[in-house]
Amino acid sequence: MSDETTSEGPPESAAVLESMTLLATLSTAATLRESVAQRRAGRDPSAQEPADQATARLQNTGQTLMDLLMQMALSRVPLEQREEEPLPHAVRHFDLLMKMRRAERLTQAMHQHLLSLYPAVSEELVEEARRTHDEIEQFLADAPAEDADEGPHLSDVLERGMSLIVWVRHEV
């Protein structure tokens, strides 16, 4: 039997952790690349946008955020009631944090688009976008201590994010 045909066992922890580190690095690089491309194209994310552009971007960002929040919500549904091994648990937690970081960026973008539409949208909606962003940031700050009782819980963060998107769809 040759080395090529031998079955591989479960991945080693070091290899999985190295892959997660690489994924986090690539994610950060992609975000930076996107930001640089936006600036080179003459778009300042903190600047006011024309209403039609802000509306279109708000709708796209809201749909992307809703998809992401639904992925996180569905990934938390237990398939079986059993003890999870440490490595799969770490990978699942890492995936949640990566998605939550993306949700934080999307919520910040939604807030900026809403500011561009103000006063055509309510001040309460703009403020809710800011509070939702802050709650996601707080969740991420508390995330290393998964069992911490302080700060927002995942279900609360997901619910608030989904409520924001529904409110935006209703008002915009």
Side-chain angles (χ1 to χ4, degrees), residues 107 129-139 152:
T107 308
R130 185 195 60 75
R131 284 193 304 263
T132 301
H133 175 265
D134 290 350
E135 189 168 304
I136 292 171
E137 276 189 330
Q138 185 63 49
F139 178 84

Side-chain angles (χ1 to χ4, degrees), residues 91-102:
V91 170
R92 214 177 322 284
H93 186 67
F94 173 79
D95 181 58
L96 172 69
L97 294 178
M98 292 291 293
K99 287 177 179 173
M100 196 59 77
R101 291 219 181 278
R102 184 160 183 231

